[in-house]
Amino acid sequence: MTAGVLAPPEAPVVSRKPLLALAAGLVMPGLGHLYTGDAVRGACFLLGVALAVPIAARLALHLPAPALCFVLFAGGVAAVTLYVYSAKEAYRRARRMPATALRPWQRPGVYLLYAVGAAVFVLAPLTGGVRDGVLETFVVPSASMTPTVLPGDRILADKTVGRRGGTRLWRGALAVFISPNDRALVYIKRVIALPGDRVDIDGGEVRVNGRALRMEGGEAGPIAREQGDRGPYTVRPGTAPDAAAVHLTVPDGTVYVLGDNRGTSLDSRRFGTVPLADVKGVARQVWFSIGKGGEYGSGVRWGRIGRLLQ
Amino acid sequence: MHPCNETQEKIAAGQRLSAEDQRHAAACARCAAVAASYSLLDATLETFAPRVPDGFADGVMALVAAEAAVPEGGTARTVGRGQRMLRWFERPPVQLIVANAAALCAVFNVAWFVMRVFLADVALGGTP
C-alpha cells in the first residue's frame, strides 16, 4: 500500500540555476530555454534570431531604395534584441520555476549538440545565405569609380542579379563582378552596354547603339553626366594614355563595363567584356564610409552614409 | 456504553478482547459479523506487504545530506546528484568566468552570424 509513495522518483528532481540559464541563453539563442525544459520556446527564439536579418534583407530589396541599409540594420538590431531578450527570459524562467524532474534530453551532451547544431545548421546557413544570394557588403579601395564611389566606401550590393525573380542588369548599373584577368579580384564598374549592343569609344566619347552617353552638350570637363536606362549618373571624363578606339558588338552572355573615372580606370577597354555569370551583384547603397586622407578626406564621411548609388 | 459498541470499537482498533468481550462477540450476530469483516481486511492487507527498492535507504540518506548542506538562507531546493555536481557553480569566481565566457560567445555570435552581412570579406580591386 505504501510502496508507491516511498519509492524514489525515476528522474532526478532539480532546480534550475538562473545564472546558468542566462549564460546558456547568451551562448546560443534558445539554449537557456532548453536548460529550463522549454525546448519549443527555445527553438522559436533561435529561429527568430536567425531569420530576422534574412527577412529584413529580402524586405529591404522591395522597399524604396533609400531605406535599404536602414531596414537591414533594423533587422540586425531586432535579432540582437531578441537574442538578449531570450537570455533574459530564460533567466527569469529558471528563477521562478519550482524544482522539477529532468526530461531525458536535459543533459550536457544534448546542450552541446544544440549549440553546435544551431550554429552550423541554422545560423550559418541562414545568415550566410544573405551574403550569398541577397545582399553583401564590399569595401572600395580604389578611385576608379569616382566621383560616384569613393575610396573607403562600404557598399551594399544586391546579389539577386541574374537569379530567378531577382534584379535584371540595366545600362548604367554599377556591377560588382569577378575580374576576367584575375579571378581572385572583384571589381566594381558601370555597365555601359548589354549583350547585342554596339559600343563605339573614340577618345573620351562613348556611344552605345549610335547614341552618345554624354548629356548636356557633351563638353569635356572635370565632371560630366551620362544617361543610363534608369536615369543620369556622374562620371569623370578622360582617356587612358594608351587607350585605343573601341568598336564592337557586345557578345551574348556578356556586358561591357567602364569605370566612372575614365582616365584611370582598368575596365572593358583593357580586359574586354565581362561574362554575365561573373557578375556577382549590383551596388545599391553606401552604408558606411571612412576616408584615409588625401583628396577624399579622412575620418567617417557621415554625409555618404545611406547614399544611393546610381 | 452498549456492549456491542464497546466490543466493535475494540475490534476496529485491533485491541485484544477480554474474555467477556469474546463471549459477547461469539453470542452477538452483529459483533461476530464485524469481527469477521475485520479479520478478512487484515488478511487482505497482509498480501500487500511493502516492498522497499534496493538502495532506497541510501538514497533517502543522500537526499537528507544534500538538504543539510544547503547554506542557511539559500533558496536552492537541492535534490539529486546532478545538482550536487554543479555546486561549484555557486562560487563567485566560477560565476564570473562563466558569465564572461557567455558574453564573449554572445558577442561572437552577433558579429559572426547576425551582423555578418555588414562585414565585408572582399575588398574590391581596380585601379589604384
Side-chain angles (χ1 to χ4, degrees):
Chain A
M1 187 169 69
T2 55
V5 176
L6 292 176
E10 291 178 3
V13 175
V14 295
S15 61
R16 306 275 78 186
K17 292 184 184 300
L19 273 176
L20 266 185
L22 177 68
L26 287 175
V27 166
M28 185 57 64
L31 184 58
H33 288 82
L34 203 69
Y35 173 73
T36 58
D38 195 347
V40 174
R41 200 169 173 80
C44 289
F45 273 116
L46 174 66
L47 282 179
V49 172
L51 287 174
V53 170
I55 289 173
R58 291 205 173 270
L59 186 67
L61 287 177
H62 294 94
L63 291 177
L68 181 72
C69 73
F70 301 107
V71 172
L72 190 62
F73 190 72
V77 170
V80 173
T81 305
L82 199 60
Y83 193 158
V84 173
Y85 178 77
S86 76
K88 184 184 167 190
E89 205 203 66
Y91 171 82
R92 290 173 62 186
R93 185 178 157 79
R95 198 167 174 181
R96 289 176 182 174
M97 71 187 296
T100 51
L102 286 180
R103 305 218 172 128
W105 42 263
Q106 284 184 288
R107 298 169 182 278
V110 176
Y111 301 149
L112 182 65
L113 201 65
Y114 173 87
V116 174
V120 173
F121 298 112
V122 181
L123 285 177
L126 287 176
T127 57
V130 174
R131 291 163 60 93
D132 290 340
V134 186
L135 286 169
E136 186 173 2
T137 51
F138 296 93
V139 180
V140 179
S142 76
S144 72
M145 285 302 290
T146 55
T148 310
V149 185
L150 303 184
D153 278 354
R154 270 71 173 165
I155 59 169
L156 275 171
D158 173 356
K159 297 195 71 176
T160 63
V161 173
R163 293 171 187 262
R164 190 174 173 185
T167 306
R168 300 186 68 172
L169 278 180
W170 67 95
R171 297 177 193 86
L174 289 171
V176 175
F177 59 93
I178 297 168
S179 164
N181 291 340
D182 181 355
R183 297 192 67 79
L185 288 176
V186 179
Y187 286 165
I188 176 171
K189 304 289 174 194
R190 193 176 294 279
V191 174
I192 295 299
L194 296 175
D197 287 347
R198 174 76 187 173
V199 179
D200 298 290
I201 303 175
D202 196 358
E205 186 179 17
V206 183
R207 303 181 78 85
V208 175
N209 296 329
R211 184 178 62 84
L213 295 184
R214 184 86 50 90
M215 299 170 63
E216 298 161 355
E219 290 295 323
I223 298 293
R225 288 169 74 77
E226 292 184 349
Q227 182 66 43
D229 287 349
R230 295 191 181 179
Y233 51 85
T234 309
V235 299
R236 183 172 285 177
T239 308
D242 56 344
V246 174
H247 304 284
L248 63 79
T249 298
V250 181
D252 282 347
T254 64
V255 290
Y256 196 88
V257 297
L258 291 179
D260 283 355
N261 192 354
R262 298 282 161 77
T264 61
S265 178
L266 175 66
D267 47 37
S268 284
R269 292 172 294 180
R270 295 279 189 85
F271 51 66
T273 55
V274 175
L276 282 170
D278 286 347
V279 176
K280 292 166 66 89
V282 173
R284 294 278 297 266
Q285 195 176 28
V286 177
W287 81 269
F288 191 68
S289 183
I290 184 163
K292 294 182 178 176
E295 184 185 351
Y296 305 104
S298 61
V300 177
R301 294 182 290 237
W302 296 104
R304 290 190 64 75
I305 294 176
R307 190 188 186 99
L308 285 180
L309 295 173
Q310 53 187 357
Chain B
M1 184 180 284
H2 191 278
C4 281
N5 290 344
E6 197 172 316
T7 304
Q8 287 173 18
E9 277 186 8
K10 287 179 181 175
I11 291 170
Q15 293 176 0
R16 179 183 289 272
L17 298 181
S18 63
E20 186 184 348
D21 290 333
Q22 285 179 13
R23 280 197 297 276
H24 172 78
C28 173
R30 288 173 59 192
C31 290
V34 168
S37 67
Y38 274 97
S39 294
L40 179 63
L41 179 63
D42 287 343
T44 305
L45 288 176
E46 282 296 317
T47 65
F48 295 120
R51 291 184 296 275
V52 179
D54 293 340
F56 175 65
D58 292 340
V60 169
M61 293 312 292
L63 294 181
V64 170
E67 287 285 1
V70 174
E72 196 170 329
T75 56
R77 294 168 285 269
T78 311
V79 205
R81 285 171 58 192
Q83 194 85 341
R84 289 202 310 277
M85 287 171 65
L86 285 176
R87 190 164 299 138
W88 56 267
F89 185 72
E90 301 289 349
R91 298 173 187 168
V94 176
Q95 289 182 353
L96 193 66
I97 291 169
V98 170
N100 278 299
L104 272 178
C105 272
V107 169
F108 173 82
N109 284 340
V110 167
W112 190 249
F113 295 118
V114 178
M115 292 300 190
R116 183 140 188 247
V117 68
F118 286 106
L119 304 176
D121 283 345
V122 180
L124 296 172
T127 48

